[in-house]
Amino acid sequence: ASFCREELINFSQHWEAVKHILDIKSDLKYCYTGRTKIHKKWCKTYNIPEERIDFLGWLDKPHEQMRNVAFLLDGPTLGHGLMAFEAIAAGIPILSPKSGHGAYDNFLLKNEKGKTSIQNRHLADVVRFDDSNSAVAGAAALLESSTNEECATKLMKLWSRDRNSQSDFHHFVQLMQL
């Protein structure tokens, strides 16, 4: 699924990845949010059956719907932003192109630096992709419940550690009083 504005996923690279990911299993569906439907053009371009696409509209409480998906798929330029962190908090991994930019990508890159363990490299290998082939490999891995849970847990731990390492407003006020 993609829980973002439709203009962030209205790119051929994104829908090509959607097509190839849907080809993994015949019972998969792709859900997306936005103010207007954009999938008909892409379904025609990539021969995607329209019944495998669910347009959810603009959701008041996207975090509730998000719990029903295996993973989020970022667009090719900008990622989900704050919705990525809603997903991480809900235990939903995000599959993101290495060419993308945004809060989630910055979070991953910051947390990849200095990481030498095979486990953390494995996380990056699963949740980031270069092209449609590596997107399919990442999606296939995330469709396995054990890998999905492992990636979600690692992302939640990284996010928790990242948040705990940052000072709060009270700390800022104390610094200003020095």
Side-chain angles (χ1 to χ4, degrees):
S2 296
F3 282 69
C4 57
R5 299 183 320 269
E6 67 275 8
E7 60 263 19
L8 297 178
I9 59 169
N10 200 12
F11 296 95
S12 61
Q13 307 97 305
H14 182 79
W15 287 91
E16 181 181 7
V18 168
K19 161 65 174 156
H20 293 301
I21 290 168
L22 289 174
D23 286 344
I24 295 171
K25 289 175 62 181
S26 62
D27 63 341
L28 292 179
K29 285 193 166 208
Y30 172 72
C31 309
Y32 73 99
T33 61
R35 298 202 189 276
T36 57
K37 293 179 181 181
I38 60 167
H39 67 275
K40 290 183 187 278
K41 161 178 97 171
W42 299 113
C43 285
K44 186 176 180 180
T45 301
Y46 289 105
N47 198 27
I48 302 170
E50 284 191 44
E51 62 272 7
R52 298 194 61 198
I53 307 295
D54 282 338
F55 173 67
L56 303 175
W58 197 252
L59 303 173
D60 289 331
K61 298 179 181 178
H63 61 282
E64 292 176 0
Q65 285 282 89
M66 193 180 294
R67 295 177 195 275
N68 299 321
V69 303
F71 59 89
L72 295 187
L73 179 63
D74 269 347
T77 55
L78 284 176
H80 280 81
L82 290 177
M83 289 310 302
F85 299 105
E86 292 276 351
I88 291 170
I92 307 297
I94 301 100
L95 187 58
S96 185
K98 289 181 181 176
S99 62
H101 303 285
Y104 177 67
D105 292 298
N106 290 336
F107 163 76
L108 287 176
L109 291 172
K110 181 174 83 171
N111 283 291
E112 282 178 7
K113 290 181 181 170
K115 303 289 183 244
T116 57
S117 79
I118 291 171
Q119 290 180 333
N120 285 331
R121 274 189 265 137
H122 174 68
L123 171 66
D125 290 343
V126 172
V127 299
R128 303 206 63 218
F129 63 90
D130 290 310
D131 54 27
S132 289
N133 289 334
S134 58
V136 169
L142 291 173
L143 290 169
E144 296 293 328
S145 62
S146 61
T147 303
N148 187 294
E149 290 170 15
E150 176 188 350
C151 288
T153 300
K154 286 178 183 178
L155 286 167
M156 286 188 289
K157 285 180 182 177
L158 286 173
W159 186 56
S160 177
R161 188 177 67 219
D162 195 58
R163 287 180 48 227
N164 289 336
S165 71
Q166 297 177 13
S167 299
D168 60 11
F169 185 72
H170 177 71
H171 182 253
F172 173 74
V173 170
Q174 285 179 329
L175 288 173
M176 297 306 292
Q177 290 174 344
L178 293 176

